[in-house]
Amino acid sequence: MAIQPIRLFGDPVLRTPAEPVKDFDKELRRLVKDLTDTMMDAPGAGLAAPQIGVGLRVFTYYVDNQLGHLINPDLDLSEEKDEEGEEGCLSFPGLSFPTPRAIRAVATGFNMHGDPVTLEGTDLMARCFQHETDHLDGVLFIDRMDLKQRKLAMREIRAAEWSGLSAPAFKFSPHATHGKAL
């Protein structure tokens, strides 16, 4: 078991877009295992490589008793959205906020052996795919909130005992957001 420390909000690696994986080798398989072990220990529904300080496009998930991973993901999102779904993040311990997300997502990418993979998810699984792929783009779930909700979230973040950070800059996802927050 190789549990790694999870990077917290404010760490620059969380705002840095990850690089595509090019080598499907033993090191990548070890990274997937480290991500899985760390996610299960936390526990969490998903964990992206930047959250443990690794700038590669890899994430793991554990939703509805389905454990898996995806490398170099690309998402196709439904138009229909869930505006009120609660979302948390291991990089924001103990906090969760309503975050708008597409209700359905089709994720394509690769497994740790380089084989093509297509995953389909609705509700929580779709939310997880979107959340973790955002991490790979340097986008955080607070960036998805409307201005009013983001201000409320930032107030709670600053009050969190793990915080002590100055107000961050916000980024928008390069992926279609179907009416992203302004």
Side-chain angles (χ1 to χ4, degrees), residues 85-88 95-99 141-142 145 149 152-153 156-157:
E86 283 286 314
E87 195 165 313
L95 302 177
S96 64
F97 307 102
T99 306
F141 78 124
I142 57 174
M145 299 172 188
Q149 182 60 47
L152 292 170
E156 287 188 46
I157 290 165

Side-chain angles (χ1 to χ4, degrees), residues 20 25 34 37 39-40 42 46 58 64 86-87 94 105 111 116 118 122 132 157 166 168 172 177 181:
D25 57 10
D34 288 354
D37 291 347
M39 174 187 66
M40 297 303 284
V58 180
D64 297 330
E86 283 286 314
E87 195 165 313
N111 68 17
T118 299
T122 58
E132 301 310 329
I157 290 165
S166 58
F172 289 97
T177 60

Side-chain angles (χ1 to χ4, degrees), residues 23-176:
D23 298 318
F24 292 80
D25 57 10
K26 184 178 180 178
E27 283 186 39
L28 178 63
R29 289 187 294 280
R30 186 172 335 141
L31 172 60
V32 170
K33 181 170 180 9
D34 288 354
L35 282 166
T36 301
D37 291 347
T38 304
M39 174 187 66
M40 297 303 284
D41 181 69
L47 188 66
Q51 291 180 275
I52 62 168
V54 178
L56 291 174
R57 295 186 66 78
V58 180
F59 72 79
T60 55
Y61 60 90
Y62 183 65
V63 176
D64 297 330
N65 292 316
Q66 291 184 32
L67 178 64
H69 66 277
L70 193 59
I71 298 164
N72 297 338
D74 187 39
L75 298 181
D76 183 27
L77 305 176
S78 67
E79 295 286 330
E80 189 179 4
K81 295 183 78 164
D82 173 7
E83 298 289 337
E84 299 299 321
E86 283 286 314
E87 195 165 313
C89 180
L90 295 174
S91 294
F92 295 76
L95 302 177
S96 64
F97 307 102
T99 306
R101 295 283 186 182
I103 288 178
R104 182 177 170 278
V106 176
T108 57
F110 301 90
N111 68 17
M112 68 177 120
H113 304 289
D115 301 320
V117 175
T118 299
L119 304 169
E120 293 188 44
T122 58
D123 303 317
L124 184 57
M125 186 70 83
R127 183 173 290 280
C128 178
F129 292 163
Q130 293 167 79
H131 181 107
E132 301 310 329
T133 301
D134 274 354
H135 272 300
L136 304 180
D137 294 326
V139 175
L140 302 174
F141 78 124
I142 57 174
D143 299 328
R144 295 289 186 172
M145 299 172 188
D146 64 36
L147 185 59
K148 181 180 177 184
Q149 182 60 47
R150 189 178 308 142
K151 284 182 178 182
L152 292 170
M154 286 307 303
R155 189 173 301 134
E156 287 188 46
I157 290 165
R158 284 197 232 22
E161 72 178 47
W162 52 263
S163 186
L165 305 167
S166 58
F170 289 94
K171 291 175 66 174
F172 289 97
S173 173
H175 302 287

